[in-house]
Amino acid sequence: MARGVTLGQMIDDLRAEAGHSLQPNLGKSMREVLINLLQRTQRRLWDDYAWPFLRITSDINVAAGQRYYDVPSNLVFERIEKVETKHGDVWDRLHYGIGGEQYNNHDSDSDIRSSPVRRFDAYGANQIEIWPIPAENVNAATGANSIRITGIRNLSALVSEADTADLDDQLLVMFSAAELLARQKQADAQNKLAQA
């Protein structure tokens, strides 16, 4: 039971758990099905749980007058758990949601600026809007006025033989075997699911 096991090894393990031949030339037609099943199982489990070992933080340097920022490429907005800003020497949590009440106080469309930033919201495909628009740049020496995003990082690719799983290999193999055996109406499908 480990993370970081290769896709090639998990395919062999899945074949064994499902009672398929371990000879690669005999299972070529099923190979893509097994890869897809392992990929989907990992994505589903990643989406269903907040895995502590996948939690990361990424800092964004705030620029005076900049309203929108890209979410770091190793995160997606839906898996963000916390957004903070450094005000002086203290990290303060930003509240989610920007609406009419906030724009009435500091109208971002009119480029009304103020520091520190107090709120954030989703913007576009994978950006955040911060409010109010910052009046000051990040302090390079102290990190003051920067934004820190904490969340569950995206999964690594699981496509080629050498790619490694981010989640436990046995968890992925047993859930996948249970689904595969259930499709084949095999009696031990429930046993594999219980083991998973």
Side-chain angles (χ1 to χ4, degrees):
M1 291 180 31
R3 298 188 309 266
V5 173
T6 65
L7 177 60
Q9 181 61 51
M10 288 191 303
I11 290 169
D12 289 345
D13 293 347
L14 180 53
R15 282 181 172 150
E17 291 296 336
H20 294 180
S21 171
L22 297 180
Q23 298 299 319
N25 58 339
L26 295 177
K28 283 185 179 180
S29 62
M30 277 296 290
R31 184 171 187 72
E32 292 303 315
V33 171
L34 300 178
I35 290 171
N36 184 275
L37 187 56
L38 288 164
Q39 290 170 335
R40 187 171 42 78
T41 300
Q42 180 168 256
R43 277 193 314 271
R44 180 182 58 81
L45 291 169
W46 172 83
D47 202 34
D48 286 350
Y49 300 97
W51 302 94
F53 55 86
L54 295 178
R55 186 170 288 115
I56 60 169
T57 59
S58 292
D59 291 346
I60 297 174
N61 291 330
V62 170
Q66 186 174 342
R67 181 176 179 180
Y68 303 107
Y69 295 85
D70 292 334
V71 172
S73 60
N74 52 358
L75 289 167
V76 290
F77 187 84
E78 293 78 15
R79 295 309 305 261
I80 291 174
E81 297 175 335
K82 177 172 58 171
V83 178
E84 302 168 294
T85 186
K86 190 172 186 184
H87 184 61
D89 292 335
V90 178
W91 287 99
D92 292 322
R93 191 166 193 156
L94 297 183
H95 298 284
Y96 177 75
I98 303 169
E101 182 180 341
Q102 286 75 39
Y103 292 133
N104 287 339
N105 290 326
H106 298 287
D107 186 2
S108 297
D109 292 332
S110 299
D111 197 31
I112 305 299
R113 303 176 185 189
S114 180
S115 290
V117 172
R118 294 189 286 272
R119 299 183 78 87
F120 78 102
D121 208 337
Y123 182 78
N126 207 31
Q127 288 189 314
I128 61 169
E129 174 184 0
I130 59 174
W131 177 91
I133 296 174
E136 303 170 15
N137 290 325
V138 67
N139 182 317
T142 66
N145 299 320
S146 64
I147 293 176
R148 176 166 287 167
I149 298 177
T150 302
I152 303 300
R153 75 165 171 80
N154 297 331
L155 289 171
S156 301
L158 192 58
V159 178
S160 69
E161 289 273 329
D163 290 343
T164 58
D166 289 322
L167 302 182
D168 180 82
D169 65 321
Q170 291 302 304
L171 182 70
L172 300 177
V173 167
M174 297 311 254
F175 269 116
S176 297
E179 183 175 335
L180 190 60
L181 291 168
R183 285 184 201 166
Q184 298 168 353
K185 299 187 183 348
Q186 297 294 318
D188 59 345
Q190 285 301 316
N191 292 338
K192 300 297 181 189
L193 185 60
Q195 289 176 16

